[in-house]
Amino acid sequence: MMEKTLKLILDKLDTLDQKVNTIDQRITDIDQRITGMDQKITDMDQRLTTEQKRQGDLLHQLINTVAATNVMISETNERIDAMETKVDIVIDDVKEIKNSMATKYDLEYYDRMISEHSREIHKLKNS
């Protein structure tokens, strides 16, 4: 009977040892999964850091491009202002020329006067 009890106890211990081994294996599997998840998180952090750096670089490029564009716009505005000044001067000059130039009526009048004077000079010479 003692042998039987001892055998039962040993069987129970074997069963308990197998359960412990199974638990140990499960813990090992869980630990491997956690290690894999840690590696994935590390990889994601690296990719995120790389992406953040790339985004930062792109942002700096955009800032530099906008700054260069602003400089070009300022230079263009200065040239436009200078051109407006020149155009205003040309407009004033054209107005002055227009106000002081002979009109078609003036030219017709002087043409008639020259013709009359030519006839009078011709009459005086021939008389």
Side-chain angles (χ1 to χ4, degrees), residues 95-102:
K95 283 181 183 176
E96 188 177 320
I97 290 169
K98 188 177 175 184
N99 288 334
S100 64
M101 72 180 201

PDB file of all heavy atoms in Angstrom, residues 95-102:
ATOM      1  N   LYS A  95       2.359 113.544 -72.526  1.00  0.00           N
ATOM      2  CA  LYS A  95       1.348 114.603 -72.345  1.00  0.00           C
ATOM      3  C   LYS A  95       1.928 115.959 -72.739  1.00  0.00           C
ATOM      4  O   LYS A  95       1.267 116.762 -73.393  1.00  0.00           O
ATOM      5  CB  LYS A  95       0.875 114.640 -70.890  1.00  0.00           C
ATOM      6  CG  LYS A  95      -0.095 113.541 -70.529  1.00  0.00           C
ATOM      7  CD  LYS A  95      -0.526 113.668 -69.060  1.00  0.00           C
ATOM      8  CE  LYS A  95      -1.435 112.539 -68.664  1.00  0.00           C
ATOM      9  NZ  LYS A  95      -1.794 112.587 -67.239  1.00  0.00           N
ATOM     10  N   GLU A  96       3.180 116.195 -72.300  1.00  0.00           N
ATOM     11  CA  GLU A  96       3.834 117.463 -72.627  1.00  0.00           C
ATOM     12  C   GLU A  96       4.014 117.600 -74.136  1.00  0.00           C
ATOM     13  O   GLU A  96       3.755 118.663 -74.717  1.00  0.00           O
ATOM     14  CB  GLU A  96       5.186 117.551 -71.908  1.00  0.00           C
ATOM     15  CG  GLU A  96       5.849 118.897 -72.040  1.00  0.00           C
ATOM     16  CD  GLU A  96       7.143 118.949 -71.251  1.00  0.00           C
ATOM     17  OE1 GLU A  96       7.178 118.405 -70.133  1.00  0.00           O
ATOM     18  OE2 GLU A  96       8.102 119.544 -71.767  1.00  0.00           O
ATOM     19  N   ILE A  97       4.478 116.522 -74.773  1.00  0.00           N
ATOM     20  CA  ILE A  97       4.654 116.539 -76.239  1.00  0.00           C
ATOM     21  C   ILE A  97       3.311 116.767 -76.916  1.00  0.00           C
ATOM     22  O   ILE A  97       3.194 117.570 -77.852  1.00  0.00           O
ATOM     23  CB  ILE A  97       5.297 115.224 -76.714  1.00  0.00           C
ATOM     24  CG1 ILE A  97       6.756 115.165 -76.264  1.00  0.00           C
ATOM     25  CG2 ILE A  97       5.193 115.068 -78.224  1.00  0.00           C
ATOM     26  CD1 ILE A  97       7.395 113.803 -76.455  1.00  0.00           C
ATOM     27  N   LYS A  98       2.299 116.080 -76.425  1.00  0.00           N
ATOM     28  CA  LYS A  98       0.961 116.208 -77.027  1.00  0.00           C
ATOM     29  C   LYS A  98       0.442 117.637 -76.889  1.00  0.00           C
ATOM     30  O   LYS A  98      -0.170 118.169 -77.811  1.00  0.00           O
ATOM     31  CB  LYS A  98       0.005 115.217 -76.361  1.00  0.00           C
ATOM     32  CG  LYS A  98      -1.344 115.134 -77.016  1.00  0.00           C
ATOM     33  CD  LYS A  98      -2.203 114.075 -76.340  1.00  0.00           C
ATOM     34  CE  LYS A  98      -3.588 114.080 -76.931  1.00  0.00           C
ATOM     35  NZ  LYS A  98      -4.462 113.152 -76.238  1.00  0.00           N
ATOM     36  N   ASN A  99       0.689 118.233 -75.730  1.00  0.00           N
ATOM     37  CA  ASN A  99       0.211 119.599 -75.507  1.00  0.00           C
ATOM     38  C   ASN A  99       0.963 120.633 -76.345  1.00  0.00           C
ATOM     39  O   ASN A  99       0.410 121.663 -76.705  1.00  0.00           O
ATOM     40  CB  ASN A  99       0.317 119.975 -74.023  1.00  0.00           C
ATOM     41  CG  ASN A  99      -0.706 119.249 -73.184  1.00  0.00           C
ATOM     42  OD1 ASN A  99      -1.758 118.854 -73.681  1.00  0.00           O
ATOM     43  ND2 ASN A  99      -0.402 119.064 -71.910  1.00  0.00           N
ATOM     44  N   SER A 100       2.247 120.329 -76.648  1.00  0.00           N
ATOM     45  CA  SER A 100       3.039 121.326 -77.361  1.00  0.00           C
ATOM     46  C   SER A 100       3.167 121.048 -78.861  1.00  0.00           C
ATOM     47  O   SER A 100       3.679 121.875 -79.596  1.00  0.00           O
ATOM     48  CB  SER A 100       4.431 121.418 -76.744  1.00  0.00           C
ATOM     49  OG  SER A 100       5.101 120.192 -76.919  1.00  0.00           O
ATOM     50  N   MET A 101       2.699 119.930 -79.350  1.00  0.00           N
ATOM     51  CA  MET A 101       2.894 119.606 -80.757  1.00  0.00           C
ATOM     52  C   MET A 101       1.820 120.263 -81.626  1.00  0.00           C
ATOM     53  O   MET A 101       0.736 120.620 -81.156  1.00  0.00           O
ATOM     54  CB  MET A 101       2.897 118.090 -80.973  1.00  0.00           C
ATOM     55  CG  MET A 101       1.565 117.434 -80.832  1.00  0.00           C
ATOM     56  SD  MET A 101       1.784 115.676 -81.135  1.00  0.00           S
ATOM     57  CE  MET A 101       0.122 115.241 -81.527  1.00  0.00           C
ATOM     58  N   ALA A 102       2.174 120.407 -82.875  1.00  0.00           N
ATOM     59  CA  ALA A 102       1.243 121.005 -83.822  1.00  0.00           C
ATOM     60  C   ALA A 102       0.153 120.000 -84.157  1.00  0.00           C
ATOM     61  O   ALA A 102       0.413 118.811 -84.287  1.00  0.00           O
ATOM     62  CB  ALA A 102       1.993 121.396 -85.095  1.00  0.00           C
TER      63      ALA A 102
END
